[in-house]
Amino acid sequence: MFRIRRRTALGLLAGGVSAAALGAELPDGIPDSGTLVRRLPSPVERENRAAGEPWWPTQDPGRDSDDHRRQIQGYASATSVAPGESIDFHVAVDPVGRYRISLHRLGWYGGAGARTVLTSPEFDGAPQPVPPADPTTGTIACRWPVSWTVRIPDDWTSGLYQAVFTSADGWRACTPFVVRDDRRAAAIAVVLPVTTWQAYNQWPMDRQHGRSLYNGYSETGRQTPDTRAMEVSYDRPYAGDGIPTHLARDHDAIQWLERNHYDVSYATSLDLHSGRLDPTRHAGIVFAGHDEYWSVQMRRAAERAVAASGSLAFFGANSSYWHIRVRSAADGRPERVVACAKSADDPGLDADGPTIRWREIGRPEQAMIGVQYNGIVDGRQPLVVRSAEHWFWAGTGVADGDRIPGVVCGEADGLDPTAPRPAASTATVLSASPYRTRYGRRQVQNTHLYGTPEGGLVFASGTLCWTAALNQPGYRDERIERATANLLDRITGRTRPVADTPARG
């Protein structure tokens, strides 16, 4: 008789499978009656039974704040908080006037997309300055006063939340934060890539001041990498209406996971960096979106999870590409600055090496993920199926060579024969999709899966548009949905979930 791990056994019981039916022996402390066990709803599943509503009004798009007039904007004091902890919001309003802050949890909610959990009283708002960039690093860090402090109630469900700032005359902007659940270990921990969100943030995009890790402005107001920042701060709003670049990819993953009743909780890349998220407590870690900027501590944590027989699923592409350093703010508050010099001439050089591409410091992303970034896709291209007989594609009806339209776009990953491969008990190429890069080069995208010697799985979609195929109207594809469910069911040990709505492509 074989013996299964406690974490897998709990997932099997939650899915309604008995150990006796498997011929398995449960770990100590888990009873087996020999009968099917009814699956209990997870906290996220219970949360989604509540009535929802759209979190971002669409009927009046002309009232979104912009970085030229900065009608209303704000930022949060933390990227994630747990129940019982507090978070501050810092808001600027121009001209002087009244405003409110509403907090919304993003999820499925029967298709509504969000639920409003709290609304502030009215406050008096005033303009706040754009501070000068640090002359050495290019960092723009605001020191606006605290506008509202919220203690996170004990009954708030883990998730991605948005604070929406709305002025009395109807202008609006927002900023994201995550509520963690440090008290229980969900089957899947979803990591939201806040380091990458901040790397792309060029607030304020006013043709004069804004800087990201990619661009700044020339004297003529043209975007240029020559004046980009080497360090960026969380102590500032996200540009424009406050919705980070690429957040929609994460939101698609969140909606699909919650629509399909997976037992999930949420954390950020900084939680992985700091150790607040212990990936070994979960059956699998899902990196939901574009997760490009990784610290040494993040990578060590992910590798530790794999060594402990855990599983990783990268739903995006171009993951763990840039090596970063996470620093404290000037006043000592931890984890408020992301540093990436993108040059061996790194003024913050330390024992972990310069903040350049991981592959340039001898640790290519392929060694952990199985594939690695190979280009920006010109348009939307089909995903070409390989290994159709593999369990990953079970129930999809695909055959080798089938083309699933529009799945390969944005950025893509592929196998690099010159880069080291991970230690694997099995490795399978699940797609081989020829594409042309934005710059005219011919490349091949690969979706990839390998099994680790310790018994885990590491999946890489190899495209930034995988989550669109899970959730986006017009791009949603039932074959990608079923294959993703096959993967997560194998990782968590649960029976196949039933979605609330049929797939439409």
Side-chain angles (χ1 to χ4, degrees):
M1 179 156 314
F2 69 90
R3 192 171 180 86
I4 60 178
R5 295 164 51 212
R6 178 180 182 88
R7 183 166 59 191
T8 302
L10 289 172
L12 291 168
L13 288 174
V17 178
S18 72
L22 292 168
E25 184 179 325
L26 284 168
D28 294 341
I30 300 179
D32 180 34
S33 63
T35 60
L36 291 177
V37 178
R38 183 179 181 183
R39 185 178 64 85
L40 298 176
S42 70
V44 165
E45 188 173 349
R46 292 194 298 271
E47 167 70 24
N48 273 275
R49 294 172 182 170
E53 65 280 309
W55 72 276
W56 191 253
T58 57
Q59 68 273 16
D60 190 10
R63 304 303 284 178
D64 296 349
S65 184
D66 66 72
D67 286 351
H68 294 280
R69 291 172 292 174
R70 298 194 295 115
Q71 298 92 336
I72 185 168
Q73 292 185 318
Y75 61 93
S77 63
T79 56
S80 79
V81 280
E85 297 178 349
S86 293
I87 186 168
D88 299 329
F89 298 101
H90 308 253
V91 182
V93 180
D94 192 2
V96 169
R98 305 281 280 173
Y99 71 96
R100 290 184 186 272
I101 305 174
S102 55
L103 305 184
H104 312 261
R105 183 186 182 276
L106 278 57
W108 174 236
Y109 300 101
R115 182 171 76 89
T116 303
V117 297
L118 187 63
T119 300
S120 76
E122 275 200 340
F123 301 117
D124 292 315
Q128 298 294 337
V130 175
D134 182 276
T136 301
T137 64
T139 310
I140 297 174
C142 300
R143 292 171 176 81
W144 298 352
V146 174
S147 304
W148 190 37
T149 300
V150 176
R151 179 190 179 278
I152 305 301
D154 291 341
D155 61 352
W156 278 19
T157 305
S158 180
L160 172 61
Y161 287 68
Q162 288 281 3
V164 176
F165 317 116
T166 306
S167 67
D169 51 1
W171 294 102
R172 61 178 178 257
C174 62
T175 201
F177 65 100
V178 168
V179 172
R180 307 187 310 273
D181 187 350
D182 299 337
R183 299 165 295 191
R184 65 180 294 273
I188 296 170
V190 180
V191 176
L192 298 171
V194 298
T195 51
T196 301
W197 292 351
Q198 196 56 249
Y200 279 87
N201 181 19
Q202 199 179 331
W203 182 88
M205 294 191 71
D206 58 0
R207 298 183 182 271
Q208 183 178 1
H209 299 98
R211 300 198 193 190
S212 70
L213 291 181
Y214 291 88
N215 289 304
Y217 289 108
S218 69
E219 291 183 357
T220 61
R222 181 179 58 86
Q223 279 195 335
T224 172
D226 295 341
T227 55
R228 69 174 182 85
M230 290 192 291
E231 298 184 0
V232 288
S233 171
Y234 290 96
D235 290 324
R236 58 180 183 150
Y238 285 94
D241 59 16
I243 302 175
T245 303
H246 296 296
L247 180 137
R249 305 184 192 282
D250 303 282
H251 195 197
D252 282 333
I254 290 167
Q255 288 210 311
W256 184 84
L257 288 162
E258 297 196 4
R259 184 171 78 239
N260 285 279
H261 311 302
Y262 281 100
D263 178 20
V264 294
S265 60
Y266 297 87
T268 72
S269 41
L270 289 180
D271 296 320
L272 187 65
H273 166 88
S274 69
R276 287 185 296 270
L277 171 62
D278 179 356
T280 65
R281 298 180 65 214
H282 305 270
I285 306 297
V286 168
F287 298 95
H290 188 28
D291 207 339
E292 187 176 353
Y293 288 78
W294 280 48
S295 68
V296 166
Q297 292 82 356
M298 289 170 62
R299 183 147 174 174
R300 285 174 181 162
E303 291 170 342
R304 187 173 69 252
V306 172
S309 71
S311 296
L312 310 177
F314 293 87
F315 283 2
N318 190 210
S319 301
S320 192
Y321 183 69
W322 289 106
H323 168 218
I324 63 169
R325 192 174 298 112
V326 177
R327 295 203 308 100
S328 298
D331 61 5
R333 287 173 296 116
E335 300 170 20
R336 298 303 289 170
V337 174
V338 174
C340 189
K342 298 188 175 182
S343 167
D345 184 19
D346 183 349
L349 184 66
D350 60 17
D352 292 327
T355 49
I356 54 178
R357 296 174 183 88
W358 278 98
R359 59 182 71 175
E360 294 174 316
I361 56 175
R363 299 184 66 187
E365 56 266 39
Q366 181 169 283
M368 175 179 68
I369 298 171
V371 288
Q372 62 187 30
Y373 170 73
N374 65 10
I376 299 173
V377 183
D378 185 12
R380 299 187 79 105
Q381 303 300 325
L383 183 117
V384 182
V385 173
R386 284 272 302 270
S387 306
E389 75 288 349
H390 193 274
W391 58 257
F392 177 83
W393 292 117
T396 64
V398 299
D400 280 1
D402 282 358
R403 297 158 67 88
I404 303 178
V407 178
V408 177
C409 73
E411 294 174 326
D413 295 342
L415 282 168
D416 184 341
T418 69
R421 303 282 294 274
S425 56
T426 59
T428 306
V429 175
L430 298 165
S431 75
S433 314
Y435 75 93
R436 189 182 296 274
T437 74
R438 181 186 294 174
Y439 308 104
R441 294 183 59 200
R442 295 184 181 275
Q443 290 284 20
V444 175
Q445 175 274 348
N446 297 122
T447 301
H448 189 268
L449 176 71
Y450 72 90
T452 70
E454 295 79 16
L457 296 169
V458 177
F459 168 77
S461 78
T463 168
L464 280 186
C465 288
W466 191 269
T467 59
L470 295 177
N471 190 64
Q472 277 287 320
Y475 296 107
R476 188 175 165 191
D477 191 286
E478 61 184 357
R479 293 163 291 185
I480 297 297
E481 290 193 75
R482 177 61 190 268
T484 308
N486 290 340
L487 170 74
L488 296 186
D489 295 347
R490 182 69 64 108
I491 288 173
T492 61
R494 63 165 269 181
T495 55
R496 185 183 173 208
V498 179
D500 288 352
T501 59
R504 297 180 180 87

